[in-house]
């Protein structure tokens, strides 16, 4: 690991100002992605700003219409929250499938979204439930957030403060984990929301995406039968040593049908 | 160098570290607590599992500076009288011995720390073999084939007063 200096800012304004003043600096949340990256010398920040001391990034608040999760809430906080389970059990289930217990005790929702790993789970919830990402300067609709491989709408130095998930009528998340890493080979979130049916896929493409063909079919009839003949083109899907593009296309259909079956 | 002060197994400890020093390096090389092992250094194997403020975490994937001011428990602090030089085992350690939950023993400190996390999370409900297997996903063992470990976690939990199905 290359050397860097370490800082623990105590306010969002302070963190953003110092991080923005140095193009080679980095925020540190749970470190479950950043520290392995530093060990491999794939990143070489000059300064690291630990977000652990920022009170504004903490906590989970459930109101009538939404669950709002602070960027520094760890996956275990979300998975084990009785309030979250009461209103969006699919979100608890999703958080509970991330990595393993030790990873869930450190990794955060803010870090996961900022990183936008193609195999990360939370992007399925953000896109599938139609969440809004609140940063230090603005609100970004989930539909506008994921831009490509490890690429998001965040500007350099922009800080995720919290994420709010509207409570759906019903939702389910199904994941086919890689047996070694637990990251998703493919994951699908299906939700019936106030804005209609949403189907979001992770693991299969460069970043999370929605499947409009399935959304239309499920809007007409919310049943496994309605989507069983929808073919998923493999053309632009990920192809690596874990799964071919064709296998991923197949898994998208299987995971979507399982998700619908769980809540139909 | 950055000065850090933290509580390890109930005792206040401090030291000067570089920001890039991993917590596991601080525990092993600075404090001499070599019970915490490094199996992979790539966040996969769980041999380095310790408790940070009561929660199991992988100490190879935390900077020592991040643990400044926090409460840590390592395998050395688990047995009731270990800090006073006693050799009585914790019920979970005893269960690993009883159930052949180890062969070479390299993964064992991490397994025990993860097992105690499972007990903590399920002390008010019922523990099953399926839960134990799912929640040991962060710990790898190259020797046992896991059956002895799963049996040990269930026995240890039972002897700690948890309902086991
Ligand atoms: C063994 C293992 C298994 C895993 N399995 C899975 C899995 O199954 N599914 C899954 O989804 N993930 C998995 N992960 C990744 C894990 O969920 C991480 O928690 C997550 O990818 C990053 O979150 P973090 O809090 O650790 O962020 P960090 O590693 O601290 O940061 C990641 C990046 O985000 C930036 N960042 C952090 N917080 C913010 C913020 N609030 N605003 C702006 N930028 C920010 C950082 O600067 C950094 O560039 C796994 C990780 C490990 C080590
Ligand atoms: S040494 Fe930390 S997970 Fe393997
Ligand atoms: S007993 Fe040898 S690695 Fe588990």
């Amino acid at each position: 690991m290359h050397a860097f200096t370490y800082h623990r800012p105590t306010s969002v304004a302070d963190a953003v100002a110092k991080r923005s003043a140095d193009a080679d600096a980095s925020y540190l949340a749970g470190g479950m992605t950043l520290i392995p990256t530093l060990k491999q010398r794939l990143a070489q920040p000059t300064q690291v700003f630990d977000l652990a001391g920022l009170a504004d990034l903490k906590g989970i608040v459930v109101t009538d219409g939404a669950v709002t999760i602070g960027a520094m809430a760890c996956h275990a906080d979300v998975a084990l929250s009785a309030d979250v389970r009461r209103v969006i059990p699919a979100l608890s289930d999703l958080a509970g499938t991330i990595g393993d217990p030790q990873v869930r005790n450190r990794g955060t929702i803010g870090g996961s979204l900022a990183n936008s790993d193609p195999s990360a789970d939370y992007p399925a919830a953000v896109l599938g439930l139609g969440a809004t990402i609140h940063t230090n300067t603005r609100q970004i609709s989930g539909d506008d957030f994921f831009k490509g491989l490890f690429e998001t709408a965040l500007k350099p130095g922009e800080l995720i403060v919290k994420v709010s998930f509207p409570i759906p009528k019903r939702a389910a998340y199904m994941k086919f984990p890689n047996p070694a890493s637990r990251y998703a080979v493919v994951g699908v979130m299906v939700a019936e929301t106030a804005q209609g049916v949403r189907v979001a896929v992770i693991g299969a493409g460069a970043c999370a995406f929605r499947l409009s063909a399935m959304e239309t079919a499920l809007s007409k009839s919310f049943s496994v039968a309605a989507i069983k003949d929808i073919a998923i083109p493999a053309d632009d899907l990920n192809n690596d040593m874990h799964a071919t593009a064709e296998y991923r296309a197949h898994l998208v259909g299987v995971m979507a049908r399982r998700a619908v079956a769980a809540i139909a | 160098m950055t000065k850090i002060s933290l509580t390890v197994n109930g005792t206040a400890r401090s030291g000067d570290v570089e920001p890039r020093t991993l917590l596991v390096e601080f525990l092993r090389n600075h404090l001499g607590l070599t019970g915490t092992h490094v199996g992979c250094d790539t966040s996969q194997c769980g041999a380095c599992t310790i408790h940070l403020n009561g929660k199991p975490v992988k100490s190879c994937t935390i900077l020592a500076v991040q643990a400044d001011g926090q409460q840590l428990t390592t395998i050395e602090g688990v047995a009731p009288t270990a800090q006073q030089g006693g050799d009585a085992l914790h019920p979970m350690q005893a269960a690993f011995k009883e159930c052949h939950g180890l062969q070479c023993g390299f993964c064992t400190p991490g397994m025990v720390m993860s097992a105690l996390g499972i007990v903590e999370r399920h002390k008010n409900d019922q523990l099953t073999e399926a839960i134990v297997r799912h929640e040991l996903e962060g710990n790898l063992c190259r020797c046992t084939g896991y059956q002895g470990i799963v049996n040990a976690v269930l026995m240890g939990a039972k002897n700690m007063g948890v309902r086991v199905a």
Side-chain angles (χ1 to χ4, degrees):
Chain A
M1 211 186 291
H2 292 288
F4 51 81
T5 60
Y6 171 86
H7 312 271
R8 225 187 256 186
T10 51
S11 74
V12 167
D14 186 36
V16 171
K18 289 183 174 145
R19 161 69 185 85
S20 302
D22 178 356
D24 295 321
S26 182
Y27 292 129
L28 170 64
M32 292 297 107
T33 294
L34 186 64
I35 294 175
T37 311
L38 295 177
K39 286 186 187 180
Q40 295 176 66
R41 298 188 169 183
L42 293 172
Q44 198 171 331
T46 43
Q47 313 183 67
V48 167
F49 294 100
D50 189 346
L51 305 176
L54 302 183
D56 290 350
L57 272 57
K58 294 198 173 121
I60 299 176
V61 181
V62 177
T63 55
D64 276 351
V67 173
T68 302
I69 300 179
M72 284 299 283
C74 69
H75 310 328
D77 288 344
V78 177
L80 302 176
S81 157
D83 287 338
V84 175
R85 178 151 300 279
R86 188 166 44 79
V87 294
I88 319 184
L91 189 56
S92 319
D93 291 342
L94 178 145
T97 70
I98 299 176
D100 53 54
Q102 296 98 310
V103 168
R104 293 196 284 277
N105 279 334
R106 294 296 294 170
T108 68
I109 186 168
S112 178
L113 295 176
N115 195 46
S116 185
D117 187 303
S119 304
D121 296 292
Y122 267 126
V126 165
L127 216 48
L129 299 172
T132 302
I133 305 202
H134 300 247
T135 75
N136 58 304
T137 53
R138 57 185 173 141
Q139 300 187 8
I140 309 174
S141 144
D143 285 325
D144 301 327
F145 189 76
F146 303 103
K147 296 294 187 195
L149 193 66
F150 296 105
E151 204 186 313
T152 68
L154 292 174
K155 301 207 173 74
E158 190 169 2
L159 183 74
I160 300 177
V161 174
K162 58 188 181 182
V163 186
S164 62
F165 295 90
I167 296 172
K169 290 178 191 146
R170 50 182 163 170
Y173 179 65
M174 290 292 157
K175 166 180 182 177
F176 189 87
N178 177 303
S181 75
R182 319 312 302 174
Y183 271 99
V185 178
V186 164
V188 178
M189 172 74 86
V190 175
E192 189 189 349
T193 74
Q195 288 79 40
V197 176
R198 300 173 70 103
V199 178
V201 178
I202 55 95
C207 63
F209 62 89
R210 287 171 65 184
L211 269 182
S212 54
M214 283 198 187
E215 294 179 350
T216 312
L218 290 169
S219 312
K220 293 195 188 111
S221 155
F222 199 93
S223 66
V224 174
I227 56 168
K228 77 176 184 347
D229 295 326
I230 295 179
I232 311 294
D235 305 340
D236 296 323
L237 300 191
N238 301 337
N239 197 355
D240 56 30
M241 66 190 227
H242 304 298
T244 61
E246 289 73 24
Y247 185 44
R248 281 194 164 87
H250 172 72
L251 283 177
V252 170
V254 177
M255 293 302 121
R257 291 195 292 277
R258 282 188 193 167
V260 172
I263 49 174
Chain B
M1 288 290 190
T2 308
K3 183 173 162 74
I4 58 169
S5 303
L6 59 179
T7 307
V8 183
N9 300 329
T11 308
R13 306 295 295 258
S14 61
D16 291 313
V17 294
E18 278 193 88
R20 62 178 161 178
T21 304
L22 298 173
L23 181 56
V24 71
E25 294 170 7
F26 177 71
L27 291 171
R28 289 178 56 87
N29 303 347
H30 296 235
L31 301 185
L33 295 171
T34 54
T36 302
H37 291 168
V38 179
C40 65
D41 201 23
T42 56
S43 321
Q44 308 285 328
C45 76
C48 63
T49 302
I50 61 150
H51 291 189
L52 178 65
N53 301 324
K55 306 261 173 73
V57 297
K58 293 175 177 174
S59 63
C60 76
T61 315
I62 299 178
L63 303 172
V65 285
Q66 289 178 279
D68 186 24
Q70 315 295 308
Q71 305 270 344
L72 273 58
T73 307
T74 68
I75 191 68
E76 288 90 345
V78 162
T81 57
Q83 299 302 303
Q84 295 77 48
D87 58 6
L89 294 178
H90 182 280
M92 188 58 78
Q93 293 172 308
F96 270 72
K97 186 178 170 194
E98 180 70 23
C99 298
H100 301 284
L102 64 151
Q103 287 178 21
C104 79
F106 195 86
C107 69
T108 315
M111 288 288 178
V112 170
M113 299 314 282
S114 277
L116 294 175
I118 294 175
V119 168
E120 180 58 30
R121 284 191 295 275
H122 296 281
K123 61 185 179 197
N124 297 323
D125 50 287
Q126 182 167 289
L127 199 55
T128 62
E129 175 170 344
I131 294 174
V132 171
R133 287 187 181 277
H134 174 56
E135 298 195 5
L136 279 182
E137 275 171 357
N139 294 75
L140 301 180
C141 173
R142 301 303 302 271
C143 304
T144 61
Y146 299 98
Q147 191 58 53
I149 293 174
V150 172
N151 294 345
V153 177
L154 290 168
M155 178 192 277
K158 199 170 174 191
N159 291 343
M160 290 173 71
V162 179
R163 278 191 301 130
V164 172

